[in-house]
Amino acid sequence: MSLSGPWFIKIVIVTKKISPCNLIVTWSYFDLEQSKNQMKRTILIFAFTLVSFMIKANGDSLSMKYGRHWVTGLGLSLQTVWDEAMSPVRYGGTSLRVNPSLQKYTAKHWRTIDVSLGLGGLRSSYFEQSKRGKAMNFGFNFDYRYLRHLTGFGTGNEVFLGGGIRTLNNARLHSQLDNSILPFDSFTSLTVEGGLQRSFRWKQRDFLLRYSLGLPIMSLAMRPNYVSVYNFVNPEAKFFGERIEEHGLSSFGSYFRMVSKVELLYKLRTGNLMGLAYQWDYYSYNRVHQLNVATHTITFSRYFNY
Amino acid sequence: MKQILYICFGVLISFAACEEVLIEKNPSNDPVTNFDILWRIMNERYSFFEYKNIDWDSVYDEYRPLVSQSTNDVELFDIMKDMLRILEDGHVNLRSDFDIVRFPDLYLDYPQNFDRDMLERVYWEKDYRITGFLVNREIQGVGYIYYGSFVASVTDDDLDFVLSRFEDLPALIIDIRNNEGGDPQYAFRMIERLISRRTHVYNHQFKSGPGPDEFSELEEIYANTKNNVVKWNKPVYLLTNRNVYSAANLFTAMMKAVPQVTQIGDFTGGGGGVPAGAELPNGWAFNYSSTILSLPDGFIVENGLAPDIFVEQTPQDVANGVDPILDRAIELAKAN
């Protein structure tokens, strides 16, 4: 392992020092480039994020106590899609996301119900050479998470662990594809959820920094059939019935997803919160047609007490 | 605070960079790669190689050497066009900004057996109704419907009107010559007026994997009868030619299962596979047949359906203002 790789240099330039965090970054990237195993690469990325957070989040300040919040969020996503059912090349684009959610935070647990609706456009990687590669994408996610406090309630450094149900539904409308116009993916997963929370004061103001991570362990997956054509030559075929019949049970071998979110919350005088979050959502599926999707989302949100 | 910003920034750039590692790499957008991808997708997804006895590997050996990194777009398109035409399949096409591959040999190599202009002047006599998209009139005491495209919608109201109009007549002629297909739902909408019980009309199989023998289970497709609408249980004469294709060919296949239907004219053009779509790195899109459709007795309809009564129309007939196919149908209809 070399510590003189380009990533190490870049991170040291940013942070201007060699720290344990930087070493993990360097090691992760070095190993990522060496490894062909997707699972291993993803776990390394997770390990980096988790460890770097724990190394850095060791201050002391006010902690968030009890609260129930109605959250409205508006976000912008950058998405990269490689869907063999749609194209042999990557598509990328932006979408607008609306994220309403409910959150309840007590001494025992942190519960959330999140909805995410997205609408946007995608373009082929070679769009500049040929203007034909254009698609629309639609997304709908519904997540329920229940996390228990493991340690540190009221201390400013809190750790959570729990589970959840996450649904992920994406569809891409690509008019070039004739009867295969609608490649889609739908996953409903039982997940393991983790979270870290650090509260601190800065310039006389209260802040919360949260990191959360979700990993599906078992999922119901639905994808188009091999030729991506709905069975419209059978009048007795039902679109949703067909999809449900085609569903498959998937685990780490065929479906992998990681939802990693960092959120900075600023406490207002009213007790409400303002939030700025960055989420990285990556998933891959390798049955029938391979699929890789990565989505970066920046969300501005407002937490209202109720 | 500074440390926290470092964390956020570190996380941001780390995940952004992850995509390059985790997501499948792009194939290059060059002539050779585009050709190879077209050949490979066809190889894995096209449904009629075995039925048409085509050795797709030898096709690759023949055409691949014609492509190099210096092949320009027009040259590449023409090479692909020649390769795809080997399939003799009207559902196979390739679409670029400057051209579209089609397969006109399906009908150009055969007598046309249809002349709409003459038909309109001599038989329709400017005195016909157009109900929705159904041209209809009574010709010599027989009900006549011309349906020119399954792209054009047929509603229950249209069918109720037309069939009511002819209810006192002894037979019905449905002329679908030069109908190149469209939406199969209109075929079902029409046939449900002609059957008295749920009827097995054809079989269907999807390509279900990349291997040459990977198909879904054979699925029996049924047409259902419809209640509370105007029905027709008297003889029907279906007029076809080589330009009857795709959904119109499907309609002809379905009509084979209806006892009171007689097909008159020429073979249909075929098109027995549902077209699916894909694209190449350079943005060109293409369609291919992705299913196999067969009659209840197992006959594959890809290459067309033979008429029960073969009748041709010669250029001399057209010049003389005669349509022997329609005449034969009228003659049989009047005999009922």
Side-chain angles (χ1 to χ4, degrees), chain A residues 183-248:
Chain A
F184 62 88
D185 46 84
S186 172
F187 303 96
T188 302
S189 310
L190 289 173
T191 60
V192 173
E193 303 286 339
L196 303 165
Q197 181 172 285
R198 166 92 178 104
S199 58
F200 60 94
R201 280 183 76 80
W202 183 64
K203 294 194 176 176
Q204 319 305 316
R205 290 187 173 92
D206 292 332
F207 289 90
L208 279 174
L209 183 66
R210 281 176 173 169
Y211 174 73
S212 62
L213 182 96
L215 288 171
I217 49 175
M218 190 66 74
S219 307
L220 276 177
M222 281 187 271
R223 287 275 284 151
N225 62 30
Y226 181 67
V227 288
S228 302
V229 174
Y230 163 59
N231 191 359
F232 59 84
V233 294
N234 182 1
E236 294 177 343
K238 302 289 182 241
F239 182 82
F240 289 108
E242 258 192 12
R243 302 285 79 76
I244 290 166
E245 278 176 20
E246 287 170 357
H247 79 266

Side-chain angles (χ1 to χ4, degrees), chain B residues 142-276:
Chain B
V142 178
Y144 173 86
I145 296 172
Y146 179 73
Y147 185 35
S149 172
F150 275 91
V151 174
S153 65
V154 175
T155 66
D156 282 330
D157 288 345
D158 298 340
L159 290 168
D160 280 343
F161 178 87
V162 175
L163 295 179
S164 298
R165 184 184 178 199
F166 298 148
E167 64 185 350
D168 296 330
L169 302 178
L172 177 66
I173 295 168
I174 301 177
D175 189 351
I176 58 166
R177 287 175 292 175
N178 274 26
N179 186 323
E180 294 183 340
D183 190 335
Q185 70 165 310
Y186 305 130
F188 283 97
R189 192 165 289 166
M190 292 170 78
I191 202 169
E192 66 192 14
R193 305 301 184 107
L194 310 178
I195 54 177
S196 55
R197 59 188 166 81
R198 186 171 179 258
T199 303
H200 179 196
V201 286
Y202 58 82
N203 303 317
H204 190 234
Q205 278 181 292
F206 277 94
K207 193 81 170 59
S208 61
D213 301 323
E214 289 188 69
F215 285 90
S216 62
E217 293 287 317
L218 190 77
E219 183 183 22
E220 293 185 349
I221 309 296
Y222 289 82
N224 284 298
T225 186
K226 192 163 192 173
N227 298 320
N228 303 320
V229 292
V230 180
K231 311 266 288 190
W232 185 272
N233 56 15
K234 290 181 269 189
V236 175
Y237 298 93
L238 180 69
L239 311 189
T240 59
N241 68 351
R242 289 277 180 176
N243 229 346
V244 167
Y245 198 76
S246 191
N249 186 60
L250 181 87
F251 178 62
T252 309
M254 293 161 68
M255 294 287 264
K256 296 273 186 194
V258 184
Q260 73 267 30
V261 173
T262 305
Q263 182 191 345
I264 300 176
D266 198 355
F267 283 72
T268 60
V274 170

Side-chain angles (χ1 to χ4, degrees), chain B residues 31-97:
Chain B
V32 172
T33 306
N34 278 295
F35 178 89
D36 283 348
I37 288 174
L38 173 66
W39 181 88
R40 178 181 58 78
I41 292 177
M42 294 299 292
N43 186 50
E44 293 174 351
R45 302 187 196 174
Y46 185 66
S47 55
F48 289 118
F49 285 127
E50 186 181 342
Y51 171 71
K52 296 186 175 183
N53 197 24
I54 292 169
D55 180 354
W56 197 238
D57 290 329
S58 69
V59 171
Y60 183 84
D61 294 340
E62 183 182 349
Y63 286 91
R64 170 60 187 82
L66 304 178
V67 183
S68 70
Q69 299 297 1
S70 60
T71 304
N72 66 36
D73 278 355
V74 175
E75 291 168 341
L76 179 65
F77 190 89
D78 288 343
I79 293 166
M80 289 175 167
K81 177 169 69 179
D82 292 343
M83 179 174 80
L84 293 175
R85 280 186 169 168
I86 288 171
L87 300 171
E88 298 187 355
D89 188 333
H91 278 153
V92 171
N93 60 51
L94 175 67
R95 305 182 295 277
S96 71
D97 293 329

Side-chain angles (χ1 to χ4, degrees), chain A residues 7 10-11 14-17 25 29 32-33 35 38 41-42 45-46 48-49 52-53 56-58 78-82 84-91 124-126 129-134 174-180 198 200 202 207 209 211 225-237 242 258 260 262 264 278 280 282 288-290 292-296 298, chain B residues 1-30 37 40-41 43-46 73 93-100 182-185 188 198 201-202 204 206-211 214 219-224 250 254 274-291 293:
Chain A
W7 277 105
K10 286 176 188 174
I11 286 161
V14 170
T15 61
K16 297 180 183 171
K17 64 181 178 182
V25 170
Y29 275 106
L32 288 176
E33 287 173 5
S35 174
Q38 188 169 286
R41 288 186 298 217
T42 313
I45 293 161
F46 165 59
F48 152 66
T49 308
S52 62
F53 187 98
K56 294 291 184 184
N58 57 357
L78 279 173
Q79 194 171 50
T80 305
V81 179
W82 185 80
E84 202 180 19
M86 181 168 80
S87 176
V89 302
R90 292 180 183 181
Y91 271 65
S124 154
S125 299
Y126 296 123
Q129 286 127 304
S130 167
K131 306 295 182 199
R132 299 172 70 95
K134 278 195 290 190
H174 195 352
S175 57
Q176 275 228 111
L177 302 184
D178 202 87
N179 290 322
S180 313
R198 166 92 178 104
F200 60 94
W202 183 64
F207 289 90
L209 183 66
Y211 174 73
N225 62 30
Y226 181 67
V227 288
S228 302
V229 174
Y230 163 59
N231 191 359
F232 59 84
V233 294
N234 182 1
E236 294 177 343
E242 258 192 12
M258 181 169 139
S260 172
V262 178
L264 184 65
Y278 165 71
W280 186 72
Y282 168 79
V288 188
H289 287 294
Q290 283 193 42
N292 299 137
V293 180
T295 309
H296 305 264
I298 299 283
Chain B
M1 187 62 187
K2 209 182 243 181
Q3 285 186 330
I4 288 164
L5 287 174
Y6 288 157
I7 294 168
C8 295
F9 186 71
V11 168
L12 190 75
I13 60 167
S14 65
F15 286 132
C18 290
E19 283 174 23
E20 287 308 309
V21 183
L22 294 171
I23 297 182
E24 199 72 24
K25 295 275 183 293
N26 270 328
S28 52
N29 182 14
D30 61 65
I37 288 174
R40 178 181 58 78
I41 292 177
N43 186 50
E44 293 174 351
R45 302 187 196 174
Y46 185 66
D73 278 355
N93 60 51
L94 175 67
R95 305 182 295 277
S96 71
D97 293 329
F98 53 85
D99 198 4
I100 297 173
D183 190 335
Q185 70 165 310
F188 283 97
R198 186 171 179 258
V201 286
Y202 58 82
H204 190 234
F206 277 94
K207 193 81 170 59
S208 61
E214 289 188 69
E219 183 183 22
E220 293 185 349
I221 309 296
Y222 289 82
N224 284 298
L250 181 87
M254 293 161 68
V274 170
E279 71 170 15
L280 300 175
N282 63 7
W284 296 353
F286 62 100
N287 282 9
Y288 57 90
S289 294
S290 63
T291 68
L293 196 143

Side-chain angles (χ1 to χ4, degrees), chain A:
Chain A
M1 185 175 92
S2 165
L3 296 183
S4 58
W7 277 105
F8 176 75
I9 293 167
K10 286 176 188 174
I11 286 161
V12 169
I13 288 168
V14 170
T15 61
K16 297 180 183 171
K17 64 181 178 182
I18 298 174
S19 70
C21 181
N22 296 336
L23 293 176
I24 292 164
V25 170
T26 310
W27 173 69
S28 298
Y29 275 106
F30 180 81
D31 217 74
L32 288 176
E33 287 173 5
Q34 300 293 314
S35 174
K36 298 293 180 194
N37 183 316
Q38 188 169 286
M39 176 72 73
K40 187 180 171 189
R41 288 186 298 217
T42 313
I43 289 169
L44 283 170
I45 293 161
F46 165 59
F48 152 66
T49 308
L50 189 68
V51 174
S52 62
F53 187 98
M54 293 176 83
I55 288 167
K56 294 291 184 184
N58 57 357
D60 57 353
S61 194
L62 294 175
S63 73
M64 183 174 169
K65 302 294 183 188
Y66 304 91
R68 291 191 306 176
H69 290 100
W70 160 255
V71 186
T72 55
L74 187 65
L76 190 68
S77 291
L78 279 173
Q79 194 171 50
T80 305
V81 179
W82 185 80
D83 181 358
E84 202 180 19
M86 181 168 80
S87 176
V89 302
R90 292 180 183 181
Y91 271 65
T94 55
S95 59
L96 196 64
R97 290 200 167 257
V98 180
N99 299 103
S101 72
L102 288 171
Q103 299 203 5
K104 188 177 180 185
Y105 182 88
T106 70
K108 285 184 180 175
H109 63 245
W110 175 24
R111 283 190 299 176
T112 68
I113 296 172
D114 297 296
V115 174
S116 171
L117 291 163
L119 173 66
L122 294 169
R123 285 180 171 189
S124 154
S125 299
Y126 296 123
F127 187 79
E128 291 309 314
Q129 286 127 304
S130 167
K131 306 295 182 199
R132 299 172 70 95
K134 278 195 290 190
M136 287 183 72
N137 70 328
F138 311 91
F140 170 71
N141 299 349
F142 177 85
D143 302 332
Y144 171 75
R145 298 182 301 145
Y146 181 92
L147 297 105
R148 300 279 296 196
H149 267 107
L150 284 188
T151 60
F153 176 69
T155 66
N157 288 301
E158 295 161 34
V159 181
F160 306 86
L161 190 66
I165 297 171
R166 286 183 183 261
T167 66
L168 170 74
N169 304 282
N170 280 317
R172 295 163 282 283
L173 189 71
H174 195 352
S175 57
Q176 275 228 111
L177 302 184
D178 202 87
N179 290 322
S180 313
I181 189 170
L182 195 67
F184 62 88
D185 46 84
S186 172
F187 303 96
T188 302
S189 310
L190 289 173
T191 60
V192 173
E193 303 286 339
L196 303 165
Q197 181 172 285
R198 166 92 178 104
S199 58
F200 60 94
R201 280 183 76 80
W202 183 64
K203 294 194 176 176
Q204 319 305 316
R205 290 187 173 92
D206 292 332
F207 289 90
L208 279 174
L209 183 66
R210 281 176 173 169
Y211 174 73
S212 62
L213 182 96
L215 288 171
I217 49 175
M218 190 66 74
S219 307
L220 276 177
M222 281 187 271
R223 287 275 284 151
N225 62 30
Y226 181 67
V227 288
S228 302
V229 174
Y230 163 59
N231 191 359
F232 59 84
V233 294
N234 182 1
E236 294 177 343
K238 302 289 182 241
F239 182 82
F240 289 108
E242 258 192 12
R243 302 285 79 76
I244 290 166
E245 278 176 20
E246 287 170 357
H247 79 266
L249 204 58
S250 299
S251 192
F252 287 112
S254 53
Y255 174 59
F256 179 78
R257 186 184 178 199
M258 181 169 139
V259 186
S260 172
K261 184 175 182 180
V262 178
E263 186 171 28
L264 184 65
L265 296 164
Y266 165 58
K267 202 179 273 183
L268 302 170
R269 285 179 188 162
T270 57
N272 294 334
L273 302 167
M274 293 284 285
L276 175 64
Y278 165 71
Q279 178 175 289
W280 186 72
D281 185 348
Y282 168 79
Y283 64 98
S284 70
Y285 186 65
N286 61 13
R287 285 191 188 157
V288 188
H289 287 294
Q290 283 193 42
L291 173 71
N292 299 137
V293 180
T295 309
H296 305 264
T297 306
I298 299 283
T299 307
F300 294 94
S301 51
R302 177 80 184 255
Y303 287 57
F304 297 97
N305 283 312
Y306 74 96

